[in-house]
Amino acid sequence: MRSAIVGCGEIAKVHAESIAALEGHEIVGFADCQKERAEEFAKQYGGNSYGTLEEMLDKEKMDVLHICTPHYLHVPMAKIALERGIHVYQEKPAALSLGEYRELKQAVQKSKQYLGISYQNRYNDCVQKAKELIESGNAGSILGGRAFVTWERRENYYTCSKWRSNLAMAGGGCLINQAVHTLDLLTELMGKPVGVEAEMKNHHLKGVVEVEDTVEAYITYQTKEGERSGNFYATTSYCEDSTPIIEVVCQHMTLRIEDPELTIIYPDGTKERMEFGNMEEAFGKKYWGNGHKRAIQEFYEAIESEKSCKIELENTDMSNRLMFAIYEASRTGEYVTV
């Protein structure tokens, strides 16, 4: 298949490397508002360079468009590509608001093209093993779950890309930009979210950014055995990027994920540690994870075989809606159904 990438920042390199590592796929173009960045990518990976998405779409024939731009451009660019009959693979978030998200879903349904959201950590071996233990019944019924993200984002992170600090352009901060991946994994393991109460704060960059640096949520999930609670905490006001912790307490075992390690804690207190080191090295920053290649490969295979895949828009719906519900709950101070 023929692919193109719009937005030639840091994450675009991960997409380009992932595509280049797959057999039978070609990158035909790169587009960026700073055309020199697109030119650098084209020199390294092949294809042509453009200063706008529209010019690239007019001049290149492609099967898949990868969207690696700032958040506020995701839906407008996805809609343009879908209308032209092009499949879309985009970075998170799916959209900036629930209303915009509905527009995106309608565009996908109308076009009948594939649209994937880059929840690449779903492909991490430790996550897939934990999910297998839960779905097989070996872990027993789910009793509850929790997740923690404590990362560091200082003022220079926002000043080097000012859209990140702008609420209208970013849609939010800690949750939509960083911790949404961990929220997605908690939801993958726990089940369907029913409702949520939440609070958000900006602790360490008051007056510098418009977006939150800390979020706390109490989530109700519907499991096979009934409703169970999930506790979620994330902050970017920590002193370093520590490994996120995801834990699901079940009847026969507690599953604790600290990628690439899965620890199984049995009721008698004994622990079994399973470390998965057989995935490819991450192309980009360590905290981005190393599941991008697997995610992109499965997305392309789904297109070719006309089958579903786990990061297709419809299969990420629960996590996307839960994220919007957390923002609404924090604004209103009320319990919000998902």
Side-chain angles (χ1 to χ4, degrees):
M1 284 193 290
R2 296 160 64 88
S3 306
I5 296 176
V6 59
C8 297
E10 293 177 297
I11 196 65
K13 180 176 175 61
V14 179
H15 287 245
E17 290 283 353
S18 298
I19 298 167
L22 301 176
E23 292 185 7
H25 301 287
E26 176 189 4
I27 303 177
V28 298
F30 295 91
D32 194 283
C33 60
Q34 299 179 44
K35 190 178 178 183
E36 61 273 14
R37 299 204 303 185
E39 291 170 351
E40 288 299 316
F41 271 79
K43 287 178 184 177
Q44 184 171 356
Y45 299 101
N48 299 309
S49 59
Y50 300 93
T52 68
L53 171 62
E54 289 76 10
E55 183 184 8
M56 182 168 71
L57 292 175
D58 287 340
K59 294 185 178 180
E60 298 291 346
K61 183 178 180 181
M62 67 193 72
D63 301 295
V64 182
L65 175 68
H66 288 246
I67 299 177
C68 301
T69 56
H71 297 176
Y72 67 97
L73 295 172
H74 287 185
V75 171
M77 288 183 167
K79 288 169 67 176
I80 291 172
L82 291 169
E83 288 170 0
R84 294 186 180 222
I86 299 169
H87 304 291
V88 174
Y89 186 97
Q90 68 176 61
E91 273 298 319
K92 52 75 189 166
L96 294 185
S97 67
L98 184 57
E100 193 181 49
Y101 180 61
R102 288 171 177 152
E103 290 179 14
L104 180 63
K105 292 191 73 175
Q106 289 173 357
V108 172
Q109 291 166 0
K110 183 178 179 180
S111 71
K112 298 182 180 180
Q113 302 301 304
Y114 280 74
L115 187 142
I117 305 298
S118 193
Y119 285 131
Q120 73 278 357
N121 291 333
R122 291 185 177 193
Y123 294 84
N124 293 354
D125 286 330
C126 56
V127 174
Q128 296 197 69
K129 181 62 177 180
K131 191 172 177 65
E132 175 192 318
L133 289 168
I134 292 171
E135 292 185 343
S136 68
N138 291 334
S141 59
I142 293 174
L143 304 179
R146 61 176 182 162
F148 299 93
V149 182
T150 50
W151 283 359
E152 178 186 29
R153 295 294 182 276
R154 298 297 167 183
E155 185 174 351
N156 65 332
Y157 171 79
Y158 297 96
T159 54
C160 70
S161 296
K162 292 186 177 180
W163 66 268
R164 293 170 176 163
S165 67
N166 185 296
L167 182 59
M169 300 174 82
C174 171
L175 176 58
I176 199 170
N177 204 8
Q178 283 86 33
V180 66
H181 286 293
T182 304
L183 180 69
D184 173 62
L185 296 184
L186 181 64
T187 301
E188 271 282 280
L189 298 174
M190 289 287 293
K192 182 179 179 180
V194 176
V196 63
E197 296 177 4
E199 292 185 354
M200 293 185 181
K201 296 287 185 181
N202 180 0
H203 289 300
H204 80 307
L205 292 175
K206 293 182 178 69
V208 178
V209 302
E210 299 174 356
V211 298
E212 83 282 351
D213 66 15
T214 301
V215 57
E216 173 271 325
Y218 181 78
I219 307 163
T220 303
Y221 287 98
Q222 183 66 50
T223 71
K224 294 178 182 178
E225 295 78 21
E227 292 187 353
R228 299 290 186 267
S229 64
N231 297 88
F232 181 81
Y233 174 84
T235 185
T236 50
S237 63
Y238 195 51
C239 60
E240 64 176 8
D241 294 319
S242 61
T243 302
I245 298 172
I246 305 165
E247 184 175 272
V248 179
V249 180
C250 301
Q251 182 183 6
H252 304 314
M253 61 184 70
T254 294
L255 304 168
R256 182 179 297 164
I257 296 171
E258 297 174 81
D259 188 41
E261 185 175 278
L262 169 64
T263 302
I264 302 175
I265 306 170
Y266 296 99
D268 63 2
T270 59
K271 297 180 179 180
E272 178 185 357
R273 288 187 172 86
M274 305 173 69
E275 185 164 353
F276 300 89
N278 60 340
M279 282 187 70
E280 298 89 349
E281 197 68 30
F283 288 134
K285 295 176 180 177
K286 184 178 179 181
Y287 52 75
W288 287 343
N290 53 5
H292 281 92
K293 181 182 174 183
R294 285 186 179 184
I296 291 172
Q297 180 175 2
E298 182 175 290
F299 181 71
Y300 280 29
E301 290 174 351
I303 294 172
E304 292 173 328
S305 63
E306 298 184 354
K307 294 181 179 180
S308 182
C309 68
K310 63 170 67 76
I311 55 167
E312 199 176 341
L313 185 64
E314 191 60 35
N315 293 332
T316 67
D317 189 62
M318 291 192 298
S319 292
N320 296 329
R321 289 182 177 275
L322 176 56
M323 181 188 72
F324 296 129
I326 290 174
Y327 276 108
E328 184 179 351
S330 71
R331 286 193 297 267
T332 63
E334 299 177 356
Y335 178 85
V336 174
T337 57
V338 180

